[in-house]
């Protein structure tokens, strides 16, 4: 069974979706570690409840990214982590982690990349009056949401769409898509639906 580490910064609903499928046996993985850069984030509570170890840090306690990433790396090695799963981790991954885990870090992002990268992708799509948005799962490289795309799912933005309704639709997709892609990656070592796009 492969060991995964989930990185989260906030609510952790995607983290919870992953915990749930591990517990039902649908996802064949061991969640070895939660890494969280926001002391007090609800994701930490979710880890505690599921008896998952967590490494929580405050970036302000470090002079630079290399320092906290070196500590993260140590914990990842101790936990023998095979794959890093970014689930609402709102921070760019630096060279310290990328060097060791290149090709073994994946991210989920609430837009059809390359559209609307970075923060508040849902707000960006609404602001731009886009007709479509969606969810992208991709490998992580040094850029901001730029790595090779694994899968995308499209969502139509209706005329009456609100931030709340769109966020709900996006999260519903995320909570199903991330576990299923993880299962494919971890059990087959690849994703068969490479660059597939499904439409809603
Ligand atoms: C998710 O919608 C995820 O796609 C997004 O943050 C949310 C976290 O929600 N990630 C990004 O915007 C990354 N650039 P969660 O904490 O409830 O899982």
């Amino acid at each position: 069974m492969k060991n995964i580490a989930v990185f989260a910064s906030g609510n952790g609903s995607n983290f919870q979706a992953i915990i749930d499928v591990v517990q039902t046996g649908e996802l064949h993985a061991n969640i070895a570690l939660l890494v969280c850069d926001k002391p007090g984030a609800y994701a930490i509570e979710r880890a505690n409840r599921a008896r998952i170890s967590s490494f929580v840090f405050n970036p302000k306690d470090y002079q630079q990214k290399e320092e906290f990433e070196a500590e993260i790396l140590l914990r990842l090695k101790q936990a023998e982590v095979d794959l890093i799963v970014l689930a609402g981790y709102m921070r760019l991954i630096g060279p310290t982690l990328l060097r060791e885990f290149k090709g073994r870090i994946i991210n989920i992002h609430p837009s059809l990349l390359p559209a609307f990268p970075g923060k508040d992708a849902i707000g960006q799509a609404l602001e731009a009056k886009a007709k479509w948005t969606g969810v992208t799962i991709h490998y992580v490289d040094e850029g901001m949401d730029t790595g090779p795309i694994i899968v995308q799912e499209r969502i139509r933005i209706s005329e009456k769409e609100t931030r709340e309704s769109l966020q709900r639709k996006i999260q519903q997709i995320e909570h199903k898509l991330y576990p299923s892609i993880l299962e494919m990656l971890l059990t087959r070592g690849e994703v068969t639906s490479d660059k597939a796009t499904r439409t809603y």
Side-chain angles (χ1 to χ4, degrees):
M1 188 109 74
K2 293 272 166 67
N3 289 324
I4 65 172
V6 177
F7 286 34
S9 300
N11 177 28
S13 69
N14 279 282
F15 176 41
Q16 186 67 54
I18 295 166
I19 294 172
D20 291 347
V21 288
V22 166
Q23 287 178 347
T24 60
E26 287 159 90
L27 175 58
H28 298 85
N30 172 45
I31 309 173
L33 187 67
L34 168 74
V35 173
C36 180
D37 63 339
K38 288 264 160 43
Y42 191 58
I44 303 162
E45 170 75 26
R46 297 183 193 271
N48 291 342
R49 264 197 248 146
R51 297 175 193 277
I52 294 166
S53 313
S54 47
F55 174 55
V56 182
F57 65 99
N58 187 342
K60 291 193 186 123
D61 295 339
Y62 299 82
Q63 301 227 312
Q64 45 198 352
K65 186 181 293 231
E66 289 88 85
E67 286 176 27
F68 65 73
E69 286 206 342
E71 272 207 45
I72 295 173
L73 188 57
L74 196 69
R75 313 287 171 127
L76 294 173
K77 285 187 170 167
Q78 280 168 351
E80 299 182 359
V81 166
D82 300 295
L83 182 76
I84 296 175
V85 178
L86 306 185
Y89 184 69
M90 305 309 273
R91 194 167 286 283
L92 265 183
I93 299 293
T96 310
L97 288 179
L98 271 176
R99 251 194 320 268
E100 295 272 345
F101 278 88
K102 188 100 199 259
R104 295 191 295 143
I105 310 176
I106 61 170
N107 182 40
I108 191 160
H109 184 78
S111 77
L112 291 175
L113 291 171
F116 314 127
K119 289 202 173 128
D120 193 19
I122 294 175
Q124 290 185 56
L126 290 171
E127 180 74 15
K129 302 204 180 334
K131 291 215 160 47
W132 293 91
T133 189
V135 173
T136 302
I137 295 174
H138 64 97
Y139 288 103
V140 170
D141 64 11
E142 48 290 318
M144 169 78 80
D145 301 319
T146 51
I149 290 171
I150 298 168
V151 69
Q152 293 188 306
E153 289 205 9
R154 302 204 315 157
I155 301 165
R156 183 105 170 91
I157 302 179
S158 77
E159 306 261 300
K160 308 181 286 224
E161 206 74 68
T162 63
R163 171 181 275 275
E164 290 68 34
S165 65
L166 186 54
Q167 181 158 348
R168 204 175 321 117
K169 285 185 202 166
I170 283 187
Q171 292 232 309
Q172 267 173 7
I173 290 178
E174 289 188 336
H175 297 164
K176 288 210 167 70
L177 192 61
Y178 220 4
S180 72
I181 291 299
L182 276 170
E183 176 67 5
M184 279 195 257
L185 277 173
L186 292 170
T187 59
R188 300 188 204 162
E190 62 173 41
V191 180
T192 48
S193 58
D194 191 32
K195 295 205 174 73
T197 299
R198 274 171 271 176
T199 302
Y200 287 76

